[in-house]
Amino acid sequence: MRIIEGGVCAVPGVKAYGKRDENNNGLAIITGKGNAVGVFAQNRIRAAPVIVMNERLPGVMNAIIANSGCANAFTGERGLEDAKRMAQLVADELGVNSKSVGVASTGIIGHYVDMDWIEEHVKEVMDGLTSEPGGSEAAARAIMTTDTILKQVAVEVDGVRIGGMAKGSGMVEPNMNTVLVFIYTDADFSYDVLYKCLKTAVDDSFNMIVVDGDASTNDMALLTAVGKGRISEHHFQEGLNFVCTELAKMIARDGEGATKLIEVNISGAISKDDARRAAKAVVRSLLVKTAVYGESPNWGRIVSAIGRSGADVEADKITLEFSDGVNVVTLVKEGNIIEGVLDQARALMARDAIVIKADLGLGSEGARAWGCDLTCDYVRINAEYMT
Amino acid sequence: MRIIEGGVCAVPGVKAYGKRDENNNGLAIITGKGNAVGVFAQNRIRAAPVIVMNERLPGVMNAIIANSGCANAFTGERGLEDAKRMAQLVADELGVNSKSVGVASTGIIGHYVDMDWIEEHVKEVMDGLTSEPGGSEAAARAIMTTDTILKQVAVEVDGVRIGGMAKGSGMVEPNMNTVLVFIYTDADFSYDVLYKCLKTAVDDSFNMIVVDGDASTNDMALLTAVGKGRISEHHFQEGLNFVCTELAKMIARDGEGATKLIEVNISGAISKDDARRAAKAVVRSLLVKTAVYGESPNWGRIVSAIGRSGADVEADKITLEFSDGVNVVTLVKEGNIIEGVLDQARALMARDAIVIKADLGLGSEGARAWGCDLTCDYVRINAEYMT
């Protein structure tokens, strides 16, 4: 497996382009025909595009149209009409059935999509479609909201390519701040295999940066297979896992107002579920997040978060380490506090990516979760966000 | 029912006193003999005093000793010895069995209690014990950590008195920041009735300011019945509910760095569980908390939080109102967005206590939860908290 340039455009047969204006309205279109599957928001309040796409997938898709600025959520019948109309606009340009065009939205809840603006810009974006790397970049940029970094990655495995882009940055509760993921591959698989692989990859990546397994009204991850490439399901899964994990880490690192990426690595859990629960509890703890921001190796908050996660835990079995990826400092060894290491741990926390490793010492299951620190900038961004 | 002065000292037979030094070590002692029951932290990692008290209650208690500055959590066998020794010190002064003395701690995790400091000050606090209102105040003040306001309340119902004090202020995750509650009454009830009443009152008060039903390593609420007063169980429950709810609201209002109290009032839920879940989801949403801080009537975030709470919800049934306790602004009526009211809602949010009322329109169950806004000061307090 090797990382390659070009995002979704790294996949033969895929074109993309996007456009945004100074009022934070954005429009992205991606084309490429093939079997498509999706994983959607679990929120009981579902945005119009999520309702529409949930009906359309699995199915053959010719394109995806996505807008930023308006979530098209809590918009009733008119919202559904608008979502379908967005797909229709692209379908008309391509001369295909409108049900073969995907639609996604991100932005403010409770407002109608500015359809005039969309209609005005569809032609322009269609005209810009390209298989050059710049196309994927323009599309990924068009769907950014509070995102500060562009999120795309592509890999080649056994001659097959997998390219993806993502949008999302509300790390403290990322599930409230839409995560959109569009992945393309030229591997050839049935809907069943594609869905199984996507679900598996999402569970270990985007669902591990999500605070508590909930989801926003608008979240969706779409995977479209546009080619005839042959690859073992196992290797394809590895490639897809890599793409999803890298995009998920980009989202975590781009947490609103964040200065540091936090990776929590749980091992020694009795069950996979316990490991996930413990990892997520640490990542979502505001006290851990603020401690990381303050570069304070406050391991007591980590142990307490694990303790209240619901996972089976015994205080005298826990081993806790901090790492920056290279150096490792052990703070607790099988329940015993290691004295005299706090200064080393503090120095390590000055780095911009912190790994918290906890071995529960009870079993052999593990999980990883990602998050970021909580800063005043997060509060400012979200206090000032318009209604 | 009428509110009276004096905190726990309003109850005949109860004396209290407390002391704190400039290093944030505090010591409180309360005396009063009677049947005692307790509700404890659900965290798998339990502090030493919680383990000790869980064994001792229900039982007859003669006194409670509580320290602030050190949680005595994650301290192994030595921690258990220290907790028992704290009780022993008071028992020796009173000439009673040490198992009849309650013990509680709040402060930093992973450090041993400074027993020298405790032993040095027990005599001094014992000498200060008084049934005057100042005694309750001194004790309540001694167990404050990041608390900025003193929390105590007392009521008289049918001639019986119920007085309580509380400590706690980490509103964003209060369950990580210990909540200690000590309540006394001169009503005469069996352990069973006392426990049932305490559990009921705690579930509707302290457990509704807790973010997610989890608990810190040190949380405890103790109720001791020191007298022979006669009152119906029903009226006693009402009085106890009032005491617990008032103390809980004080804790919410005193959230670290908070500027506003948020009350979420859910009605029309299919089940009580749904109502609690929905209310808590709104109170714990960082996006709602930051919106309240920014005085932004961002109802979309509220609807989304309810939607992902796990409660049964239908978008076109929800009615949403903001209130300051007097004025009411309806933002959503049975799923329809009311236009032109955002300015009124915004004006109302300038107040320091905001009520968010959501009628789910599906059933007849309700619940209330309390929280506070999320501010930069919260981040600062917790980023700088020592390790």
Side-chain angles (χ1 to χ4, degrees):
Chain A
M1 181 159 59
R2 66 188 183 91
I3 299 174
I4 56 177
E5 298 295 309
V8 296
C9 289
V11 179
V14 175
K15 291 182 181 178
Y17 192 58
K19 161 87 190 156
R20 62 186 307 143
D21 71 6
E22 60 289 345
N23 298 321
N24 287 320
N25 288 310
L27 186 67
I29 296 175
I30 311 172
T31 60
K33 183 178 179 177
N35 289 351
V37 295
V39 173
F40 302 100
Q42 294 305 307
N43 200 303
R44 292 292 184 105
I45 310 289
R46 287 184 153 198
V50 173
I51 295 171
V52 169
M53 290 311 293
N54 204 32
E55 283 168 6
R56 292 185 178 176
L57 295 182
V60 172
M61 284 288 137
N62 277 288
I64 295 169
I65 176 172
N67 74 290
S68 62
C70 172
N72 194 5
F74 218 82
T75 45
E77 278 303 317
R78 180 168 151 192
L80 288 173
E81 291 310 313
D82 287 346
K84 288 173 186 166
R85 175 88 187 120
M86 281 173 64
Q88 183 74 55
L89 292 170
V90 174
D92 289 349
E93 292 284 331
L94 293 173
V96 300
N97 186 319
S98 77
K99 294 196 173 168
S100 73
V101 176
V103 56
S105 298
T106 177
I108 302 170
I109 295 175
H111 291 254
Y112 296 114
V113 176
D114 183 346
M115 288 303 295
D116 290 343
W117 188 90
I118 303 272
E119 298 200 20
E120 197 183 314
H121 290 85
V122 161
K123 185 81 174 58
E124 183 186 346
V125 176
M126 287 297 296
D127 287 345
L129 284 174
T130 170
S131 56
E132 295 294 313
S136 181
E137 189 176 318
R141 202 173 292 284
I143 53 170
M144 286 164 66
T145 56
T146 49
D147 304 58
T148 66
I149 56 168
L150 193 73
K151 300 173 187 78
Q152 56 174 6
V153 65
V155 295
E156 188 173 288
V157 201
D158 300 352
V160 150
R161 292 183 166 192
I162 308 170
M165 67 173 67
K167 168 262 164 295
S169 85
M171 193 46 226
V172 179
E173 282 200 274
N175 41 340
M176 295 282 294
N177 224 313
T178 300
V179 172
L180 296 182
V181 183
F182 305 134
I183 302 171
Y184 282 82
T185 180
D186 56 354
D188 183 21
F189 284 115
S190 68
Y191 294 130
D192 285 355
V193 173
L194 288 173
Y195 180 78
K196 194 176 71 178
C197 289
L198 180 62
K199 183 75 170 57
T200 300
V202 167
D203 278 348
D204 282 340
S205 57
F206 302 107
N207 282 350
M208 293 307 289
I209 56 165
V210 168
V211 171
D212 48 14
D214 297 327
S216 104
T217 53
N218 287 56
D219 287 350
M220 62 168 82
L222 305 181
L223 168 62
T224 309
V226 298
K228 292 284 162 206
R230 303 297 294 265
I231 180 174
S232 74
E233 188 182 320
H234 180 67
H235 281 186
F236 179 69
Q237 182 76 67
E238 282 182 355
L240 193 61
N241 285 352
F242 181 84
V243 166
C244 287
T245 302
E246 286 305 299
L247 291 173
K249 284 161 77 172
M250 288 179 203
I251 293 173
R253 186 183 285 273
D254 197 21
E256 288 170 347
T259 67
K260 292 175 197 292
L261 174 70
I262 305 172
E263 174 172 320
V264 176
N265 195 327
I266 300 285
S267 60
I270 285 178
S271 68
K272 182 82 184 165
D273 235 35
D274 269 12
R276 282 177 196 272
R277 240 185 247 133
K280 279 187 181 174
V282 177
V283 169
R284 80 164 174 244
S285 162
L286 299 197
L287 294 175
V288 171
K289 291 160 79 74
T290 48
V292 169
Y293 172 54
E295 301 182 357
S296 161
N298 195 316
W299 60 266
R301 293 181 180 178
I302 297 166
V303 168
S304 187
I306 293 173
R308 72 197 169 80
S309 69
D312 261 321
V313 181
E314 289 173 31
D316 59 355
K317 295 282 172 60
I318 296 177
T319 295
L320 192 68
E321 292 173 357
F322 277 24
S323 161
D324 59 3
V326 180
N327 307 293
V328 178
V329 177
T330 304
L331 290 148
V332 178
K333 177 87 181 164
E334 290 170 10
N336 295 302
I337 302 166
I338 308 294
E339 305 283 351
V341 296
L342 286 182
D343 284 343
Q344 282 174 59
R346 200 170 283 118
L348 188 150
M349 292 185 77
R351 306 294 295 270
D352 67 354
I354 317 293
V355 182
I356 297 170
K357 289 189 67 170
D359 183 343
L360 305 187
L362 298 174
S364 58
E365 294 292 341
R368 285 188 299 167
W370 296 271
C372 63
D373 55 344
L374 177 64
T375 70
C376 284
D377 282 344
Y378 172 87
V379 175
R380 269 186 224 111
I381 289 167
N382 285 295
E384 290 162 9
Y385 195 80
M386 60 186 159
T387 306
Chain B
M1 179 160 57
R2 66 187 183 92
I3 299 175
I4 55 178
E5 297 296 309
V8 296
C9 290
V11 178
V14 176
K15 291 182 181 178
Y17 193 58
K19 162 86 190 158
R20 61 187 304 142
D21 72 6
E22 61 291 341
N23 299 320
N24 287 319
N25 288 310
L27 187 67
I29 296 174
I30 311 171
T31 60
K33 183 178 179 177
N35 289 351
V37 295
V39 173
F40 301 100
Q42 294 305 307
N43 199 304
R44 291 293 184 104
I45 309 289
R46 287 185 154 197
V50 172
I51 295 170
V52 169
M53 291 311 292
N54 203 32
E55 283 168 6
R56 291 184 178 177
L57 295 182
V60 172
M61 285 286 137
N62 277 288
I64 295 169
I65 175 171
N67 74 291
S68 63
C70 173
N72 194 5
F74 218 82
T75 45
E77 278 304 317
R78 179 168 152 192
L80 287 172
E81 291 310 312
D82 287 346
K84 288 174 187 165
R85 174 89 187 121
M86 281 173 64
Q88 183 73 55
L89 292 169
V90 173
D92 290 348
E93 291 285 331
L94 294 173
V96 299
N97 186 320
S98 77
K99 293 195 173 171
S100 73
V101 176
V103 56
S105 298
T106 176
I108 302 171
I109 295 174
H111 291 254
Y112 296 115
V113 176
D114 183 347
M115 287 304 295
D116 290 343
W117 188 90
I118 303 273
E119 297 201 21
E120 195 183 314
H121 290 84
V122 162
K123 185 81 173 58
E124 183 185 346
V125 175
M126 288 297 298
D127 288 345
L129 285 174
T130 170
S131 57
E132 294 295 313
S136 181
E137 190 176 319
R141 203 173 290 286
I143 53 170
M144 286 163 65
T145 56
T146 49
D147 304 57
T148 66
I149 57 169
L150 193 74
K151 301 172 186 79
Q152 56 174 8
V153 65
V155 295
E156 188 173 289
V157 201
D158 299 352
V160 150
R161 292 182 167 195
I162 308 170
M165 67 173 68
K167 168 261 165 297
S169 85
M171 194 46 225
V172 179
E173 281 201 274
N175 41 341
M176 295 281 296
N177 224 313
T178 299
V179 171
L180 295 183
V181 183
F182 306 133
I183 301 171
Y184 282 82
T185 180
D186 57 354
D188 184 21
F189 284 115
S190 68
Y191 294 131
D192 284 354
V193 173
L194 288 174
Y195 180 77
K196 194 176 70 177
C197 290
L198 180 62
K199 183 74 171 58
T200 299
V202 166
D203 278 348
D204 282 340
S205 57
F206 302 107
N207 282 350
M208 292 309 287
I209 56 164
V210 168
V211 171
D212 49 13
D214 298 328
S216 104
T217 53
N218 287 58
D219 287 350
M220 62 168 82
L222 306 181
L223 168 62
T224 309
V226 299
K228 292 282 160 208
R230 305 295 296 265
I231 180 175
S232 74
E233 189 183 319
H234 180 68
H235 282 186
F236 178 69
Q237 182 77 66
E238 281 183 355
L240 193 60
N241 286 353
F242 181 84
V243 166
C244 288
T245 302
E246 286 305 299
L247 291 174
K249 283 160 78 170
M250 288 179 203
I251 293 172
R253 186 183 285 272
D254 197 22
E256 289 169 348
T259 67
K260 292 175 196 295
L261 175 70
I262 305 172
E263 174 172 320
V264 176
N265 195 327
I266 301 287
S267 60
I270 284 178
S271 68
K272 183 83 183 166
D273 234 36
D274 269 13
R276 282 178 197 272
R277 241 186 245 133
K280 278 186 182 175
V282 178
V283 170
R284 82 164 173 243
S285 161
L286 300 195
L287 294 175
V288 171
K289 292 159 79 74
T290 47
V292 170
Y293 172 54
E295 301 182 359
S296 161
N298 196 316
W299 61 266
R301 293 180 180 179
I302 296 166
V303 167
S304 187
I306 292 172
R308 72 195 169 83
S309 68
D312 261 321
V313 181
E314 289 174 30
D316 59 354
K317 295 282 172 59
I318 296 178
T319 294
L320 191 69
E321 293 173 356
F322 278 23
S323 162
D324 59 3
V326 180
N327 306 294
V328 177
V329 178
T330 303
L331 290 148
V332 178
K333 178 86 182 164
E334 291 170 10
N336 295 303
I337 302 166
I338 309 294
E339 305 285 351
V341 296
L342 286 182
D343 285 343
Q344 283 174 58
R346 200 170 282 118
L348 190 149
M349 291 186 78
R351 306 294 294 270
D352 67 355
I354 317 293
V355 182
I356 297 170
K357 290 189 66 171
D359 183 343
L360 306 188
L362 297 174
S364 58
E365 295 292 340
R368 284 188 300 169
W370 296 272
C372 63
D373 55 344
L374 176 64
T375 70
C376 283
D377 283 344
Y378 172 86
V379 175
R380 268 185 225 111
I381 290 167
N382 285 294
E384 289 162 10
Y385 195 79
M386 62 185 157
T387 305

